[in-house]
Amino acid sequence: MDIAVVSLFKAPVTNKYPHENMTVAQVFGYIVGTRAKNATRQLRSIEDKAEARKFKGKSFDFVTPSGVFSYHSDASLVSHSGLICIDFDHVKDIPALKTTLLHDPYFTTELMFTSPSGDGIKWWVQIDIQKRPHEVWFKAMQNYLNATYGLEADPQCVNVSRACFLPYDPNCYVNPNICPF
């Protein structure tokens, strides 16, 4: 796979213009670094769901895992990264699900981390958009994950410009082919 590049947008989520482009290795460095440590800790302490959602939207930088964008909208895709982010919410056993996904025989995990809320997983995998469009890949993966593992992927991830908030996760997994250290 070529080096995947994504767009980084600075908080708040209403920001529509990218700040810079990043490789997956740089996204990994951001997540295991301490930039979002305090915001992640604070978000996870908020019990009211509406308040937590508001806090997340104003406090976390985000990326568009499926590509580089000139503006945060599906119509503004400059180049597809060859990646898709599948989002699982309200996961009961995060370590078990991470292990299951890492050993999936059909999809190569490029990046995987616990969501900002602490009860979900963001799973970035390779797709080949030369074979099928992004939306077709998402729907096929959604069906596969449900049939194989009984998992429900967040249906919002069908959008190529879907925002992925960047939390602090010192246990973030990155494919050793991307970061061989």
Side-chain angles (χ1 to χ4, degrees):
M1 181 177 142
D2 293 332
I3 294 177
V5 179
V6 303
S7 290
L8 170 74
F9 295 78
K10 291 293 198 175
V13 72
T14 54
N15 176 20
K16 298 296 182 186
Y17 294 95
H19 176 70
E20 66 180 302
N21 295 329
M22 300 174 82
T23 65
V24 176
Q26 290 170 314
V27 173
F28 170 74
Y30 183 110
I31 293 169
V32 298
T34 59
R35 276 197 258 185
K37 188 173 186 175
N38 290 335
T40 301
R41 184 177 34 79
Q42 189 171 348
L43 174 65
R44 292 177 184 176
S45 72
I46 300 171
E47 293 183 21
D48 180 81
K49 289 185 183 198
E51 189 62 33
R53 182 179 178 91
K54 185 177 170 183
F55 178 82
K56 181 172 63 171
K58 73 174 185 161
S59 304
F60 285 85
D61 294 341
F62 63 96
V63 292
T64 48
S66 293
V68 170
F69 290 80
S70 59
Y71 183 83
H72 190 218
S73 75
D74 286 358
S76 300
L77 177 67
V78 174
S79 62
H80 201 286
S81 65
L83 300 172
I84 192 167
C85 175
I86 305 295
D87 187 5
F88 302 99
D89 297 320
H90 314 298
V91 175
K92 289 181 177 36
D93 188 346
I94 287 176
L97 181 54
K98 284 183 175 181
T99 298
T100 296
L101 296 173
L102 280 172
H103 292 95
D104 184 86
Y106 298 107
F107 295 101
T108 301
T109 301
E110 297 301 317
L111 192 69
M112 185 172 12
F113 54 94
T114 302
S115 65
S117 64
D119 71 345
I121 293 176
K122 308 287 186 181
W123 185 44
W124 294 22
V125 299
Q126 293 179 16
I127 59 172
D128 185 348
I129 62 161
Q130 300 302 317
K131 292 184 178 179
R132 300 283 183 270
H134 179 93
E135 298 80 15
V136 172
W137 273 106
F138 176 79
K139 289 178 183 182
M141 289 183 69
Q142 187 178 39
N143 290 335
Y144 167 77
L145 291 163
N146 186 269
T148 306
Y149 304 115
L151 296 171
E152 295 293 330
D154 182 341
Q156 299 295 326
C157 296
V158 69
N159 297 336
V160 70
S161 65
R162 179 69 173 169
C164 179
F165 292 105
L166 298 179
Y168 168 69
D169 180 1
N171 299 311
C172 179
Y173 170 87
V174 65
N175 186 316
N177 292 326
I178 294 173
C179 290
F181 49 84

